[in-house]
Amino acid sequence: MEKIDWKNLSFGYMKTDYNVRCAYKDGKWGELETTDSEFLNLHMAATCLHYGQEAFEGLKAFRGVDGKIRIFRLDENAHRLSSSCHGIMMAEFPIEKFREAILKVVKMNERFVPPYESGASLYIRPLLIGTGAQVGVHPANEYLFIVFVTPVGPYFKGGFSTNPYVIIRNFDRSAPLGTGIYKVGGNYAASLLANKKAHDLGYSCEFYLDAKEKKYIDEAGAANFFGIKNNTYITPLSTSILPSITNKSLMTLAEDLGMKVERRAIPIEELETFEEAGACGTAAVISPIERIDDLDENKSYVFSKDGKPGVMCEKLYNKLRGIQLGEEEDKHGWITIVE
Ligand SMILES: *Cc1c(COP(=O)(O)O)cnc(C)c1O
């Protein structure tokens, strides 16, 4: 068996031993199946290829300080996938089956769960697609759920640090009554040009404003936004952002730390008043924001002058990482241990 260089993993695809699948046909989900194939045999008229019937999830498994494998908030991902399926008229995958599939794929690929010391983790990617053939615009009659895993490196290679972001005004990721609240591939297709523009300009990622009024901060390409001031954690309430499980967890931890939590619209000008700000999601937990540039308005909102993350960002990050790695007590029942 090949040796994996855990210290130099990036966020990319690596073939692992098995993936788990489940097909929906004749109005019901079948049994979970295991395969070592990385490929699908798909009808060319499948709705996922034409009409975007595709939803996905992203979660992680960690090797803890005690050597046990922990999965973070698995049921939240199961429910969010159901919501995404409902949103684009796909068959919903049962919560219990989701749980079973995730535990199975992690267990079967146990040798790919990076060691505790490496800071790396096992990324788990469930997806659900319309496989039934359809030429007219209709939902498919057949679906396929797949979950694969791939080991990924730590997000912060040189230690917890800040990054610059940019507001992209001439693109919208999602509309107020659109699919932004669902984790569907179509939203990502809509973000690729803006994302490339941000990267070409040297930024870590793009930020979107609300599509209707262009007045409020929505979220980054694949991460929610939060700001901190006066011992308060403030994060946007918007119908066009994805309900991040990391953000939800950070709101709970902020309260545990004695902070106030507010979910409300955040006008762009308010950025000026935050003492700290972060982008949050499964990949990084928190990516502390150095600054957000609003190029069209010739403005720059700076949250860190020395490139160091703020104290509250660091506290929240350490708390959440600690729970994921079994160093901190799992008070809220967020962890599933893979036996
Ligand atoms: C997945 C995702 C996030 C982060 O959600 P987590 O559950 O915290 O990983 C944020 N924004 C978008 C658009 C996403 O797709």
Side-chain angles (χ1 to χ4, degrees), residues 56-58 77 80 173 180 183 188 219-224 242-247 280-283:
F56 66 101
E57 275 301 326
N77 293 92
R80 193 170 62 189
R173 188 191 78 95
K183 208 169 176 77
Y188 278 80
E219 66 171 325
N224 277 185
L242 199 276
S244 153
I245 296 161
T246 312
N247 197 6
C280 59
T282 295

Short mmCIF file of all heavy atoms in Angstrom, two decimals, residues 56-58 77 80 173 180 183 188 219-224 242-247 280-283, ligand 1:
data_model
loop_
_atom_site.label_atom_id
_atom_site.label_comp_id
_atom_site.label_asym_id
_atom_site.label_seq_id
_atom_site.Cartn_x
_atom_site.Cartn_y
_atom_site.Cartn_z
N PHE A 56 -25.37 18.63 -3.23
CA PHE A 56 -24.25 17.96 -2.57
C PHE A 56 -24.12 18.43 -1.13
O PHE A 56 -24.81 19.34 -0.68
CB PHE A 56 -22.95 18.17 -3.35
CG PHE A 56 -22.45 19.60 -3.37
CD1 PHE A 56 -21.43 19.99 -2.51
CD2 PHE A 56 -22.98 20.53 -4.24
CE1 PHE A 56 -20.95 21.30 -2.53
CE2 PHE A 56 -22.51 21.84 -4.26
CZ PHE A 56 -21.49 22.23 -3.40
N GLU A 57 -23.23 17.78 -0.41
CA GLU A 57 -22.92 18.14 0.97
C GLU A 57 -21.42 18.08 1.17
O GLU A 57 -20.68 17.55 0.32
CB GLU A 57 -23.62 17.18 1.95
CG GLU A 57 -25.06 17.58 2.28
CD GLU A 57 -25.12 18.98 2.90
OE1 GLU A 57 -24.19 19.37 3.62
OE2 GLU A 57 -26.10 19.68 2.62
N GLY A 58 -20.95 18.61 2.28
CA GLY A 58 -19.53 18.53 2.61
C GLY A 58 -19.41 18.46 4.12
O GLY A 58 -19.97 19.30 4.82
N ASN A 77 -26.12 17.78 8.23
CA ASN A 77 -25.88 17.63 6.79
C ASN A 77 -26.99 16.79 6.15
O ASN A 77 -27.42 17.07 5.02
CB ASN A 77 -24.52 16.99 6.52
CG ASN A 77 -23.38 17.90 6.93
OD1 ASN A 77 -22.90 17.83 8.06
ND2 ASN A 77 -22.96 18.78 6.05
N ARG A 80 -29.94 19.05 5.76
CA ARG A 80 -29.74 20.06 4.73
C ARG A 80 -29.83 19.45 3.33
O ARG A 80 -30.38 20.07 2.42
CB ARG A 80 -28.40 20.78 4.94
CG ARG A 80 -28.29 22.04 4.09
CD ARG A 80 -27.09 22.87 4.45
NE ARG A 80 -25.85 22.15 4.22
CZ ARG A 80 -24.65 22.59 4.61
NH1 ARG A 80 -24.54 23.73 5.27
NH2 ARG A 80 -23.57 21.89 4.35
N ARG A 173 -24.67 35.55 -7.00
CA ARG A 173 -24.58 34.10 -6.88
C ARG A 173 -25.98 33.48 -6.88
O ARG A 173 -26.21 32.41 -7.41
CB ARG A 173 -23.86 33.77 -5.56
CG ARG A 173 -23.51 32.32 -5.34
CD ARG A 173 -23.06 32.08 -3.91
NE ARG A 173 -24.20 32.04 -3.03
CZ ARG A 173 -24.82 30.93 -2.64
NH1 ARG A 173 -24.36 29.76 -3.04
NH2 ARG A 173 -25.87 30.97 -1.86
N GLY A 180 -30.30 29.97 -3.50
CA GLY A 180 -29.13 30.22 -2.65
C GLY A 180 -29.16 29.49 -1.32
O GLY A 180 -28.12 29.21 -0.72
N LYS A 183 -27.91 23.71 -1.19
CA LYS A 183 -26.54 23.42 -1.59
C LYS A 183 -26.60 22.67 -2.92
O LYS A 183 -26.50 21.44 -2.95
CB LYS A 183 -25.82 22.62 -0.50
CG LYS A 183 -24.32 22.85 -0.50
CD LYS A 183 -23.68 22.27 0.75
CE LYS A 183 -22.18 22.42 0.71
NZ LYS A 183 -21.72 23.76 1.02
N TYR A 188 -23.02 27.11 -7.75
CA TYR A 188 -21.56 27.16 -7.94
C TYR A 188 -21.20 27.52 -9.37
O TYR A 188 -20.25 28.26 -9.62
CB TYR A 188 -20.93 25.85 -7.48
CG TYR A 188 -20.75 25.88 -5.98
CD1 TYR A 188 -21.81 25.61 -5.13
CD2 TYR A 188 -19.55 26.27 -5.41
CE1 TYR A 188 -21.68 25.71 -3.75
CE2 TYR A 188 -19.40 26.37 -4.05
CZ TYR A 188 -20.46 26.09 -3.22
OH TYR A 188 -20.33 26.19 -1.87
N GLU A 219 -22.85 36.62 1.47
CA GLU A 219 -21.83 35.67 1.92
C GLU A 219 -20.72 35.58 0.90
O GLU A 219 -20.80 36.17 -0.18
CB GLU A 219 -22.44 34.28 2.19
CG GLU A 219 -22.98 33.57 0.98
CD GLU A 219 -23.35 32.11 1.27
OE1 GLU A 219 -22.68 31.44 2.07
OE2 GLU A 219 -24.33 31.63 0.67
N ALA A 220 -19.70 34.83 1.23
CA ALA A 220 -18.60 34.60 0.29
C ALA A 220 -19.01 33.43 -0.61
O ALA A 220 -20.06 32.82 -0.40
CB ALA A 220 -17.33 34.28 1.05
N GLY A 221 -18.19 33.10 -1.60
CA GLY A 221 -18.52 32.05 -2.56
C GLY A 221 -18.95 30.75 -1.91
O GLY A 221 -19.93 30.14 -2.33
N ALA A 222 -18.26 30.32 -0.88
CA ALA A 222 -18.59 29.04 -0.25
C ALA A 222 -18.44 29.12 1.26
O ALA A 222 -18.13 28.13 1.92
CB ALA A 222 -17.70 27.94 -0.81
N ALA A 223 -18.66 30.30 1.81
CA ALA A 223 -18.54 30.47 3.26
C ALA A 223 -19.45 31.60 3.72
O ALA A 223 -19.61 32.60 3.01
CB ALA A 223 -17.09 30.77 3.63
N ASN A 224 -20.06 31.43 4.88
CA ASN A 224 -20.89 32.50 5.46
C ASN A 224 -19.99 33.59 6.04
O ASN A 224 -18.80 33.38 6.27
CB ASN A 224 -21.75 31.94 6.60
CG ASN A 224 -23.04 31.28 6.13
OD1 ASN A 224 -23.87 30.87 6.94
ND2 ASN A 224 -23.24 31.16 4.83
N LEU A 242 -26.56 30.29 2.03
CA LEU A 242 -26.64 28.88 2.41
C LEU A 242 -26.55 28.78 3.94
O LEU A 242 -25.65 29.39 4.53
CB LEU A 242 -25.45 28.15 1.75
CG LEU A 242 -25.44 26.64 1.56
CD1 LEU A 242 -24.94 25.93 2.81
CD2 LEU A 242 -26.77 26.06 1.13
N PRO A 243 -27.46 28.07 4.57
CA PRO A 243 -27.37 27.92 6.03
C PRO A 243 -26.18 27.05 6.44
O PRO A 243 -26.28 25.82 6.46
CB PRO A 243 -28.71 27.29 6.42
CG PRO A 243 -29.33 26.81 5.16
CD PRO A 243 -28.64 27.44 4.00
N SER A 244 -25.07 27.70 6.74
CA SER A 244 -23.83 27.00 7.09
C SER A 244 -23.94 26.35 8.46
O SER A 244 -24.36 26.97 9.44
CB SER A 244 -22.68 28.01 7.09
OG SER A 244 -21.63 27.61 7.96
N ILE A 245 -23.53 25.10 8.52
CA ILE A 245 -23.55 24.36 9.80
C ILE A 245 -22.43 24.86 10.71
O ILE A 245 -22.57 24.90 11.93
CB ILE A 245 -23.46 22.84 9.52
CG1 ILE A 245 -24.71 22.40 8.74
CG2 ILE A 245 -23.31 22.04 10.81
CD1 ILE A 245 -24.59 21.08 8.02
N THR A 246 -21.33 25.29 10.10
CA THR A 246 -20.25 25.87 10.89
C THR A 246 -20.73 27.16 11.56
O THR A 246 -20.48 27.38 12.75
CB THR A 246 -19.04 26.19 9.99
OG1 THR A 246 -18.76 25.05 9.18
CG2 THR A 246 -17.82 26.57 10.79
N ASN A 247 -21.42 27.99 10.79
CA ASN A 247 -21.94 29.25 11.32
C ASN A 247 -22.91 28.99 12.48
O ASN A 247 -22.83 29.61 13.54
CB ASN A 247 -22.63 30.04 10.20
CG ASN A 247 -22.83 31.51 10.55
OD1 ASN A 247 -22.36 31.99 11.58
ND2 ASN A 247 -23.54 32.22 9.70
N CYS A 280 -16.85 31.60 7.35
CA CYS A 280 -16.88 30.30 8.02
C CYS A 280 -17.52 29.22 7.18
O CYS A 280 -18.46 29.46 6.44
CB CYS A 280 -17.56 30.43 9.38
SG CYS A 280 -19.25 31.02 9.29
N GLY A 281 -16.97 28.02 7.30
CA GLY A 281 -17.47 26.86 6.58
C GLY A 281 -16.65 25.64 6.97
O GLY A 281 -15.64 25.77 7.68
N THR A 282 -17.07 24.48 6.50
CA THR A 282 -16.41 23.23 6.86
C THR A 282 -14.91 23.22 6.52
O THR A 282 -14.10 22.70 7.28
CB THR A 282 -17.12 22.05 6.16
OG1 THR A 282 -18.44 21.97 6.69
CG2 THR A 282 -16.41 20.74 6.36
N ALA A 283 -14.57 23.79 5.36
CA ALA A 283 -13.18 23.72 4.89
C ALA A 283 -12.20 24.33 5.90
O ALA A 283 -11.19 23.70 6.24
CB ALA A 283 -13.04 24.42 3.55
C1 LIG B 1 -21.28 24.70 2.00
C2 LIG B 1 -21.42 26.17 1.97
C3 LIG B 1 -21.15 26.97 3.10
C4 LIG B 1 -20.59 26.42 4.37
O1 LIG B 1 -21.45 25.54 5.02
P1 LIG B 1 -20.87 24.56 6.14
O2 LIG B 1 -22.05 23.71 6.48
O3 LIG B 1 -20.45 25.40 7.27
O4 LIG B 1 -19.75 23.82 5.53
C5 LIG B 1 -21.37 28.34 2.99
N1 LIG B 1 -21.81 28.90 1.84
C6 LIG B 1 -22.08 28.16 0.74
C7 LIG B 1 -22.57 28.84 -0.48
C8 LIG B 1 -21.90 26.77 0.77
O5 LIG B 1 -22.15 26.06 -0.32
#
